[in-house]
Amino acid sequence: MFTTDAHPTGRHFLQIPGPSPVPDRILRAMSLPTIDHRGPEFGRLGLKVLADMKAIFKTRHPVMIYPGSGTGAWEAALVNVLSPGDHVLMYETGHFAFLWNQLATRLGLKTEVLGLPGAEGWRHGVHADRIEQRLKADSAHSIKAVCVVHNETSTGVTSDIAAVRRAIDAAKHPALLLVDTISGLAGADYRHDEWGVDVSISGSQKGLMLPPGIGFNALSPKAIEASAKATMPRAYWGWAEMIEMNKTGYWPSTPNTNLLYGLSEACDMLLADGLERVFARHQRWAAGVRAAVQAWGLPIQCADPAVYSPILTGVMTPEGVDADAVRKLIYERFDCSLGTGLGKVKGRMFRIGHLGDSNDLTLVATVAGCEMGLKLAGVRLAGSGVQAVMDHFSAHPGGLLQGTPAAKEKAQPAMA
Ligand SMILES: *Cc1c(COP(=O)(O)O)cnc(C)c1O
């Protein structure tokens, strides 16, 4: 068995923005025996998770569930709706947008990338008006798809997907809208149907609180129609066969049985809680962590408060301080993993994940680990982030009981 000597006592603080910590309840669900994926019991599980995932994406249309990572689901989206050499408009908000562009290019698509130039580009979300302008100029409708990232995990910046849809409509352009919500789904507000997204792409190891290993595509009728005409080679990722088999709860090839037990459990937890509550608590955690970073006097990677990520916060280190050296110190001394700076911000920032199976005290402890690490690394801090995050959580009640029947009872105690 694989063991690790990295965490001698207590729980490791997995505070990277995915994989996120997996709740014990989900781990237990996954420990059940693997069943026959062609048997009757499996069909019931299949139908349940397919229906549950529609609720999570907020769609009435089919959701594809693939054994694969988010990167695979990116590829699935592109190869199903596009043809070789198609012109695709992308928007670089950070490293994941950059990687998606690289993948599209390798597949033989002709990509065009919008975005703010230089370091500033990775501190803002999508400016939908730029997309509108570009599409208006494309009177021949040569652009076949617009690809944007909902929650840019490399920076902690979100993008307004509804505004991108409005931009495409305002330009009266037929391009499909493809959205990466790999780290946004089930942590940040997301509405596949209402926002008019044609393909939403996600993965299991972030807001869904599962281990890595599942990739998702949520489809629109327009995307399904496009897939019938598109000619990029596709085999494993092809939607048509999946849609057909999924009708009875089965898959063309072996699906991830035990991860689907976990997915079923995760959906039960999220839907019983209510997605609005899930989103609200991520917003609250994010505000607490940002209060800490602001108290330290360090810049937040996201430069636009309107699009701060509820999922993670990027912390920029002062000139001359290697953010990765700080991260390494925090890992070695305090058994806490933080996200590294990716691509062009490597060494310039680190990322604190506040998604999924977190709570106030795990986040206060995470901030404490960061604060100790920053001080040990010789960073002069303006003030105490630990105090700031405690103050924030104290002043903004959340916690287990908020909004539950038990909380209502507590708020109106029975007369003695
Ligand atoms: C994690 C992530 C990916 C990559 O997903 P993998 O599962 O690592 O392949 C892509 N985009 C975003 C926004 C992500 O957060």
Side-chain angles (χ1 to χ4, degrees), residues 307-330:
V307 291
Y308 280 144
S309 170
I311 310 295
L312 74 142
T313 298
V315 183
M316 297 167 78
T317 50
E319 204 59 51
V321 176
D322 176 6
D324 273 339
V326 178
R327 262 186 351 104
K328 186 161 175 275
L329 210 153
I330 294 167

Side-chain angles (χ1 to χ4, degrees), residues 69-71 74 96 149 151 153 180 182-183 205-206:
S69 83
T71 304
W74 267 346
F96 286 103
V149 175
N151 182 71
T153 322
D180 167 343
I182 295 177
S183 64
Q205 75 273 28
K206 303 191 177 165

